Amino acid sequence: MARLAGVSTATASRVLSGRGPASPASRSRVARAARELGYVPDAAARTLAGSGGTRVAVAVGGRTADVLDDPYAARVLTAAAGVAAAREVGVSLHWVPLHDPAALARLAGQRGVDGIVLVNPTRAALAVLPRSARGRVAAIGVGARGVPAFDVDNGTGAARVVGHLVAGGRRRVAMVTGPAWLPCTDRAVDAYRRVVGEAGLPVRAVPGDFTAARGEEAAAEVLARWPDTDAVFALGDLTALGALAALGRAGVDVPGDVAVAGFDDIAFAALSRPTLTTTTNPVEAIAAGAATAVLDRCAAEPLTLHPSELVLRDSA
Amino acid sequence: MARLAGVSTATASRVLSGRGPASPASRSRVARAARELGYVPDAAARTLAGSGGTRVAVAVGGRTADVLDDPYAARVLTAAAGVAAAREVGVSLHWVPLHDPAALARLAGQRGVDGIVLVNPTRAALAVLPRSARGRVAAIGVGARGVPAFDVDNGTGAARVVGHLVAGGRRRVAMVTGPAWLPCTDRAVDAYRRVVGEAGLPVRAVPGDFTAARGEEAAAEVLARWPDTDAVFALGDLTALGALAALGRAGVDVPGDVAVAGFDDIAFAALSRPTLTTTTNPVEAIAAGAATAVLDRCAAEPLTLHPSELVLRDSA
DNA sequence: CTGAAAGCGCTAACAC
DNA sequence: GTGTTAGCGCTTTCAG
């Protein structure tokens, strides 16, 4: 017990949890003892005593429970699990239905839930968060007062992609966006509008949902509606890869007739034919940041943006 | 409290945990009360009291920690998380180094660890499991006494793939296997040997590691060593997709010159060019079965095999 | 077979 | 500021 190396259990608890008063003297003694013993507080006991919890919940917003099958959710979960494992706590995965944001509040009320990492949060979901959840929720996407957000800088990333397409001579650049209900994709769509606008080019946006299936549909839709389109920028490599496949089947030459670019730089972007030009999304780093903020209760910046770097390949 | 609806806390505990004696009378009363109240035992309290735990650990064997980045591990983790969430417990992700199987024993000893789902276990790792772990460990791959195994029927799956290649007129079928240290892939390799053997064809096997990068190398290796190869069967779609990309770059026509087939039927198998012929691997169902066995402490069959179905596409 | 009682490791009042 | 004390919800001896 860390207690043997100094003071009483109460004092030790106070300094380790950061709450309550403690003199610098005992503060440092406890810290040293804890370090020497490699002390990790028992999450179960902490939970039982009324504070803390034994797992961080990864809550994914979406219209249907399918969002849990998205590889994106799996990557977030995996990264969060890595951070959690070091503190001997677990993670769990939950769906927050678009039509029932209160599911989030219920989740936050569960005993074992230490904190929540929100994926694809809507403002409605953020609004129903009980004050008891303050300080133990972080969002990947948009945040709110008391809910720090971590995300990729998709505005800059999108601007770079579209800038590259335009610089390469493309004049009819269409974009397959994210779902309309997802506010964190606005930055990317705005960037697209701005860049094509500044170049005096038309705005051609169709909604997407990050899936490959939707990418296939969207590509057909774009070509039907605007036959002279010479570039497609999809928010999400899955969607871009779907578009690539559909264009290939339709006999459209990529990048000859139409350039295609994605967003995320997933592993398959380097394996498709043609290989996919895209921009990076350090999901694991972002998720780890969010999980750390939740677990350590540290007051993070309201919004931490991770850079997105252009990756030029053959498709654009 | 379920207790109010009948007997004393001790008796309730006895019937709910299944341990200890209890009369049929109180047994049914407690069961009914629990059902009515929608009672879920508090994992934290259980842990603190010395039994149970607050998370199921997913432990992945491998030479390096990279195995945790494999999408396969993420799928298992996600599926396990789904099962765990219903019981209000979490999951965590761990690497069991090939050179240090004792890491598994340490993991099993951790307080909060309710049970372990072993992914890609070696016999050495299974051998060091402490008896205290008995009944709360399940394997995805090969099992052992007291460790039920859940896996895809990769023997039958591989036989079907190779059978299809041979039936299609391929006479020089090479296989990219799994890592040599992974015993659960033996069934697939044996099936390959058997099918080509029975057809009087040569055995051409090169080792793989399930990665796309290795698939690219392996394809080059196979063609360098046996230039007349007319089909490549890779254990794992990632590897097959890597091979596909490498062959495409080398100007080899697929499936004209060389047929390519994979194993797993991941989402990208339908998006590559050409689309990939493969065979299914219901990873989520398998992982859910393993997680359920661990959490419910139910005596599962020593080996539960899930069927693998051939998916014919353009590459073979 | 069943109930009463003692903790598991920690936090949160409450005195000092 | 710090120590003492009473539980958190469960399992588990130990008597009945």
Side-chain angles (χ1 to χ4, degrees):
Chain A
M1 284 238 247
R3 292 75 211 271
L4 296 189
V7 295
S8 75
T9 67
T11 310
S13 171
R14 278 189 281 256
V15 353
L16 288 168
S17 68
R19 277 185 286 266
S23 72
S26 41
R27 199 175 286 278
S28 70
R29 295 175 59 188
V30 172
R32 199 172 51 77
R35 212 174 323 110
E36 282 178 9
L37 272 55
Y39 176 81
V40 178
D42 184 312
R46 222 171 223 200
T47 306
L48 202 52
S51 154
T54 60
R55 63 188 193 277
V56 1
V58 174
V60 189
R63 194 173 300 286
T64 66
D66 294 352
V67 289
L68 300 183
D69 301 333
D70 193 302
Y72 183 78
R75 289 175 69 187
V76 172
L77 186 72
T78 303
V83 175
R87 292 159 177 81
E88 301 192 0
V89 308
V91 294
S92 55
L93 184 62
H94 310 262
W95 167 46
V96 180
L98 230 49
H99 59 269
D100 178 23
L104 231 196
R106 267 175 271 133
L107 187 63
Q110 273 192 24
R111 249 184 166 290
V113 173
D114 190 36
I116 300 181
V117 173
L118 271 171
V119 179
N120 291 350
T122 61
R123 300 197 201 285
L126 288 164
V128 301
L129 272 176
R131 51 176 23 69
S132 66
R134 277 289 158 75
R136 42 194 202 96
V137 180
I140 298 184
V142 298
R145 252 176 42 87
V147 181
F150 297 78
D151 206 353
V152 63
D153 184 357
N154 53 19
T156 305
R160 284 187 183 139
V161 172
V162 180
H164 167 73
L165 292 170
V166 171
R170 308 292 169 167
R171 286 295 168 262
R172 313 289 169 188
V173 181
M175 175 172 185
V176 185
T177 69
W181 54 264
L182 188 60
C184 61
T185 59
D186 292 349
R187 290 190 304 264
V189 179
D190 291 348
Y192 157 77
R193 289 175 176 281
R194 187 174 49 74
V195 175
V196 296
E198 285 173 358
L201 305 178
V203 168
R204 298 177 169 182
V206 297
D209 62 4
F210 300 138
T211 67
R214 176 62 195 147
E216 303 186 40
E217 283 171 24
E221 214 170 296
V222 163
L223 287 190
R225 208 159 139 195
W226 303 293
D228 63 342
T229 296
D230 59 9
V232 175
F233 166 43
L235 207 51
D237 281 354
L238 243 48
T239 301
L241 257 11
L244 213 55
L247 293 173
R249 278 198 307 271
V252 175
D253 179 47
V254 178
D257 300 330
V258 176
V260 173
F263 195 114
D264 281 345
D265 193 28
I266 63 175
F268 288 96
L271 294 173
S272 62
R273 198 146 111 208
T275 55
L276 185 68
T277 287
T278 185
T279 182
T280 58
N281 186 354
V283 178
E284 280 75 15
I286 293 168
T292 303
V294 162
L295 284 164
D296 294 350
R297 306 276 192 276
C298 57
E301 297 294 306
L303 177 60
T304 306
L305 248 24
H306 290 242
S308 177
E309 306 295 347
L310 202 55
V311 179
L312 297 179
R313 295 207 183 87
D314 300 335
S315 69
Chain B
M1 281 238 247
R3 291 75 211 270
L4 296 188
V7 294
S8 76
T9 68
T11 310
S13 171
R14 279 189 280 257
V15 351
L16 287 170
S17 69
R19 277 184 285 268
S23 71
S26 42
R27 198 174 288 279
S28 70
R29 295 177 60 189
V30 172
R32 199 171 53 75
R35 213 175 323 111
E36 281 179 10
L37 271 55
Y39 175 81
V40 178
D42 184 312
R46 222 171 225 200
T47 305
L48 201 54
S51 152
T54 60
R55 63 187 193 276
V56 2
V58 174
V60 189
R63 195 174 297 286
T64 67
D66 295 351
V67 289
L68 301 183
D69 301 333
D70 192 304
Y72 183 77
R75 289 175 70 187
V76 172
L77 186 72
T78 303
V83 175
R87 291 158 178 82
E88 300 191 2
V89 308
V91 295
S92 55
L93 184 61
H94 309 262
W95 167 46
V96 180
L98 231 50
H99 60 269
D100 179 23
L104 231 197
R106 264 175 274 135
L107 187 63
Q110 273 194 24
R111 249 183 166 291
V113 173
D114 191 36
I116 301 181
V117 172
L118 271 170
V119 179
N120 291 352
T122 61
R123 300 197 202 286
L126 289 164
V128 301
L129 272 176
R131 51 175 24 70
S132 67
R134 278 289 160 74
R136 45 196 201 93
V137 180
I140 298 183
V142 297
R145 252 175 42 84
V147 180
F150 297 78
D151 206 353
V152 63
D153 185 357
N154 52 18
T156 305
R160 284 186 184 141
V161 173
V162 181
H164 167 72
L165 293 170
V166 172
R170 308 293 169 166
R171 288 293 169 264
R172 314 287 168 188
V173 181
M175 175 172 184
V176 185
T177 69
W181 53 265
L182 188 60
C184 62
T185 59
D186 292 350
R187 291 191 303 264
V189 179
D190 291 347
Y192 158 76
R193 289 177 176 281
R194 186 172 51 72
V195 175
V196 295
E198 285 174 356
L201 306 178
V203 168
R204 299 177 168 182
V206 297
D209 62 4
F210 300 138
T211 66
R214 177 60 196 147
E216 303 186 40
E217 284 173 24
E221 216 170 294
V222 163
L223 287 190
R225 207 161 141 194
W226 304 291
D228 62 342
T229 296
D230 59 9
V232 175
F233 166 44
L235 207 50
D237 281 354
L238 244 47
T239 302
L241 258 9
L244 213 55
L247 292 173
R249 280 197 308 271
V252 175
D253 179 49
V254 178
D257 300 330
V258 177
V260 174
F263 196 115
D264 281 345
D265 192 29
I266 63 176
F268 291 96
L271 294 174
S272 62
R273 201 147 108 208
T275 55
L276 186 68
T277 287
T278 185
T279 181
T280 59
N281 186 355
V283 179
E284 280 75 15
I286 293 168
T292 303
V294 162
L295 284 164
D296 294 350
R297 306 275 192 276
C298 58
E301 297 293 308
L303 176 61
T304 306
L305 247 27
H306 290 242
S308 177
E309 307 294 347
L310 201 56
V311 179
L312 297 179
R313 296 207 183 88
D314 299 335
S315 70

